[in-house]
Every structure is written in C-alpha cells, then in structure tokens.
Amino acid sequence: MSDTTPQHGGTTPPSDSSTPIDGTTDGSVGTPASDGSVGSVGSVGTVGTPASDDRLQDVVAGAPHLMTDSATDSERREGRWSDAMQSIVNGSVLTTVLAVVLALVASGILIALTDKDVQAAAGYFFARPMDTLRAVGSAVGGSYASLFQGSVINFGAPTAAAAIAPITRSVDYAVPLVVAGLGVAVAFRAGLFNIGGQGQVLIAAGTAGWVGFSFDLPAAVHIPLTILAGIVGGAVWAGIVGLIKARTGANEVVLTIMLNYVALYLLAFALRTPGLLQAGGSPNPISPATKDSALLPGLFGPRFGINVGFLVAIAAVIVVWWLLNKSSLGFRFRTIGENPRAARVAGMSVPRLTIWVLVISGGLIGIAGAYQVEGAVTTGFTSGIDAGIGFDAITVALLGRSKPWGTFWAAILFGVLKNGGYAMQAANSIPIDIVDVIQALIVLFIAAPPLVRAIFRIPQPGARRRTKQPSKRKAVAA
C-alpha cells in the first residue's frame, strides 16, 4: 500500500488534498520532530501535530492562557497580602507596641497587688470571688483612666480648651526627651554609647542659663543665642569624650559616665560661687531667673503647655532624619556603626568620624539643657536641672529603635506617662514610682523581642513560611 502507517496511533487521512490541515496550499502536513515539538512542513501524507495555531502551542507548553489568568492574578494578590502581613509581623513596630502592652499589663498587676481595697477583698476571695475581681478592675481601670485623662484628654472638663490641655502639658514634658533622645540615637546608629546625657544637659543648662540671664537683647536674638549656647555646651562636653576615644581608644561608656559626675560637681561649684552662676544676694546655690527676652513664647497662649520649643524639636527630628538617611556624613556614621573595618577599607577616618558623632550627639542633647532654662525652670535653676532627662533619653532612643521619628513618638509616650503619673497619684493614691516601673518594663520587653514574640506566639523573623504546594495529578493511561 502506498499510504504510510499513521504515527501516534492516528488514523490515515483521506488522499484528497483539497482541505489542508496546516493552512498550506499544497496539501502537505507537518511532520513531528524527534523531541516532540512540531516540525516543519514535511512529506505528503504524514500525520503530525499542527503547527499553525499558536494558542494550542501555549497550552501544550504549559504557558499561561486567557482561561488561567484569573487564577494567576488571585495567587499574586494572595502573595502580596501574605508578604505585607509577614513584613508587619517581622517588623519592629509590632514588637514595640506589644512590649508597651505587656508593660501596662504587668504594671496593672502591681497596681492591683498594692491596692488596699484589693488586699481587703482578697481576704475572703473563696467566699465572694467577684468582690476581688471588681476591686481589681476598679483599681487598675481607675488608675489608667486617671492617667489618660490627666495626660491626653480630660473628658470631664467643662470646656474643650480644658479638655485638650493635658496633652499640651504632656508634649511640654516630651520636648527635651525628643532632642536628647535624638542625640543618643545618633550615637547608637554610629555604634557608640553616649551614656553621658546627664552631664551634657547640666553643662548646656549652665551655658544657656548664663546667656539667658546675663544679656539684655531683643527676643529674636536672645532666644536663638541661648539655644546656641546650650548646643555649644553639650557639643564641647561630648566632644571631649570623642577626642579622648579617637586618640587613645578609651571606652566611651566609662568616659561619659565619669564626666557626668564632673559636670554635676562643676555646676554645683558654679552655683555656689558669686560672679559665676549664683544669684546675687542669695546664699543658696541657685542661678538668677532667666530674662523674659530669652523665654520661649507659647504657641497657643499661657493656658497651654506647648511653646516654640516644640517646633525646635520637630525641626531637630527632620534634620537628624536627613542627616542619617540622605547625607554622605550620615552614611559614614551608619557605616562605622555597622562595620568599622569596612569603613577603614573604604578610606573613612573612623577616629575623626567618632569625634563628629559625639559632637553632634552632645549638641542635640544640649538643646534639652537650653529648653530646661528657657521653658521649664525659668525662675532660677539648681544642680538638679537635668531632671533625669539624660538617662530617660537612653530609654527613649531604645524604644524608638534609634530612628528619628520613632524617637519622637517614644518621647511623646514618655511625656504622657510622666504627666499622667501625677494625675494617677493624686486621684488614686498610686505611687508615682509605678510610672518608673512601667518605663523600666517597657525597656525590658523592648530588649527581649524573642520573649514578646513567644508570649504572643508570633513567628520569629526569618522563619520559613509554609506555602501551599500545587497538587500533582497522576496521569492515567487510557
């Protein structure tokens, strides 16, 4: 027979060539290639897979088809949402928020244990357990309600202005923590631990206070000059540490802590010495009052606590953000913080950058010292002018993950806690030390992210994510 045997078990096509299969005019058909793909036009009468239909080729090759696009898009959308949730879970923001929640819960337990009503109700807990639970809820809920109303919004105030007044006072507490926290954060990003915030605040307050009460100048000149004096005082005091570390390699932690004591006793000596910082005619170690031309004016009037210092703090946040993320100097700071050896190989002078880091860090902390004498304590200051800002700034920088805007919001939180602590003490007879306990617990949980993730059953960063494997269908031979 002249007809060849059909391949792949197909049937023999009719000999009539008037109806071409592959669209050719000579009636020839395609010959299948040896690798299974469609070959070129071959011998007449041979049956193969048609090559003219591109859509059929796509389906055979397993490429996406119009009928399967919707499923692919759905998988992509699910992947994007899954990646977004994974980034939130692995991010530091969620861990920080949960650390604050845990600190509030632990502090609530302490409040309940120290409350007299709770202790009295616990004496007959097994007889009437609901009395104990109600006492716990009243103690903890009342304390936190007083903290909120005393530091954020007072819902019981007669006017709207009185209702929002607490948050303005909280911001007033937070302003020096913002700039001081930024100073510590800059040092942290460069791999340095500036623990000398207390000494830098004291020296800055001394220099700014001297300018504030010694000169009669217009307010437009006197206010910036006083702030500049504080910046210079803090920068010089921290620059001493940077210079010693750059020249000798001494540990900056030890240097800054020791200089805290030097600054404290130096300021105390100046406040006891007439002609230096001591107020004339006063036997007490106190400075003269800051002149009115050097005081920071309020933004919304004397009833509210926010003054121009808040704008200075916002400007400092923006400048530090630009410095660390957009400038070449900030890139060098981050480089020596992450890998000093690589910085040296790249030609960076690590000792010189160390000096600049501490100078800038001390200058930012010096703004807090200037704020203390221009906006917080304006009737004359003593050696306690630092008010713990230097050490609180370390906590703020840690809570803010050493990022400018994170430090800003962490300082606002600490301002709320500090301002609300006094209201909580007055309304519920809760010791003000509970606020310090909350801050300490926040630092504890921030320093232990694996503990926070373990408590809330959040997967650790870098853990392998289980993905759905596509089901494989076994081909069944007909």
Side-chain angles (χ1 to χ4, degrees):
M1 297 176 63
S2 59
D3 293 334
T4 59
T5 303
Q7 298 180 9
H8 307 292
T11 57
T12 305
S15 59
D16 188 4
S17 61
S18 60
T19 307
I21 296 177
D22 59 346
T24 57
T25 56
D26 58 355
S28 61
V29 295
T31 304
S34 60
D35 59 353
S37 60
V38 178
S40 59
V41 176
S43 303
V44 177
T46 304
V47 179
T49 305
S52 60
D53 195 345
D54 294 336
R55 292 174 297 176
L56 189 57
Q57 285 183 345
D58 291 341
V59 173
V60 172
H65 189 251
L66 294 176
M67 298 178 62
T68 61
D69 284 345
S70 60
T72 304
D73 292 342
S74 177
E75 292 177 358
R76 290 176 180 176
R77 284 193 296 269
E78 291 179 0
R80 286 195 296 266
W81 281 107
S82 178
D83 293 340
M85 292 301 299
Q86 193 74 11
S87 63
I88 293 174
V89 169
N90 292 336
S92 60
V93 176
L94 179 62
T95 306
T96 302
V97 173
L98 294 179
V100 174
V101 172
L102 285 176
L104 293 176
V105 171
S107 300
I109 296 174
L110 293 177
I111 292 173
L113 292 176
T114 57
D115 186 77
K116 294 181 179 179
D117 294 336
V118 175
Q119 294 174 356
Y124 54 92
F125 173 77
F126 293 101
R128 297 173 63 182
M130 292 305 299
D131 289 354
T132 304
L133 296 180
R134 278 194 293 266
V136 170
S138 177
V140 178
S143 298
Y144 285 154
S146 299
L147 188 148
F148 182 83
Q149 292 185 4
S151 60
V152 183
I153 297 177
N154 185 7
F155 295 106
T159 61
I164 64 173
I167 188 62
T168 63
R169 291 193 295 268
S170 298
V171 171
D172 180 53
Y173 281 112
V175 167
L177 292 176
V178 171
V179 288
L182 289 173
V184 177
V186 168
F188 282 169
R189 293 292 292 272
L192 299 174
F193 295 91
N194 185 3
I195 315 298
Q198 179 188 16
Q200 292 151 30
V201 169
L202 292 173
I203 296 299
T207 55
W210 180 79
V211 173
F213 65 72
S214 298
F215 300 98
D216 291 317
L217 298 171
V221 177
H222 206 178
I223 292 174
L225 186 62
T226 305
I227 296 175
L228 181 61
I231 293 174
V232 172
V236 169
W237 201 249
I240 295 173
V241 178
L243 183 62
I244 296 175
K245 180 176 178 61
R247 294 295 179 87
T248 65
N251 189 287
E252 74 277 5
V253 176
V254 178
L255 292 174
T256 50
I257 291 177
M258 293 298 102
L259 283 179
N260 284 342
Y261 293 98
V262 176
L264 176 63
Y265 292 116
L266 182 62
L267 182 64
F269 169 77
L271 290 171
R272 290 195 304 266
T273 304
L276 290 180
L277 293 179
Q278 188 178 26
S282 175
N284 299 320
I286 190 172
S287 72
T290 306
K291 294 189 175 181
D292 294 340
S293 58
L295 298 181
L296 296 173
L299 293 178
F300 306 107
R303 187 172 184 178
F304 301 98
I306 299 180
N307 55 34
V308 175
F310 180 68
L311 301 181
V312 175
I314 293 291
V317 173
I318 295 174
V319 170
V320 172
W321 175 84
W322 177 85
L323 172 68
L324 293 178
N325 299 296
K326 299 297 181 180
S327 68
S328 59
L329 182 61
F331 172 76
R332 294 186 178 93
F333 287 172
R334 290 185 284 112
T335 302
I336 66 172
E338 295 176 2
N339 196 332
R341 293 183 179 180
R344 293 188 184 94
V345 172
M348 300 179 186
S349 176
V350 176
R352 183 182 302 173
L353 290 173
T354 299
I355 297 175
W356 276 111
V357 167
L358 288 172
V359 165
I360 294 174
S361 175
L364 289 167
I365 297 175
I367 300 177
Y371 182 84
Q372 287 296 96
V373 299
E374 287 186 289
V377 184
T378 60
T379 58
F381 62 89
T382 63
S383 56
I385 187 65
D386 67 289
I389 293 173
F391 288 105
D392 288 343
I394 301 172
T395 308
V396 168
L398 289 173
L399 182 59
R401 303 289 183 179
S402 299
K403 297 180 180 180
W405 287 109
T407 302
F408 173 81
W409 292 113
I412 296 296
L413 173 62
F414 271 57
V416 167
L417 292 176
K418 182 173 290 187
N419 184 31
Y422 298 112
M424 185 173 64
Q425 182 184 27
N428 302 88
S429 300
I430 300 298
I432 192 64
D433 297 333
I434 292 294
V435 175
D436 296 331
V437 171
I438 295 175
Q439 295 176 357
L441 289 174
I442 289 174
V443 176
L444 174 64
F445 290 121
I446 286 294
L451 175 62
V452 177
R453 294 180 179 275
I455 292 175
F456 288 96
R457 297 182 179 274
I458 300 175
Q460 298 293 334
R464 291 184 177 180
R465 183 179 57 186
R466 294 182 178 180
T467 56
K468 295 182 179 179
Q469 297 295 335
S471 60
K472 297 181 180 179
R473 297 180 178 178
K474 297 181 180 181
V476 181

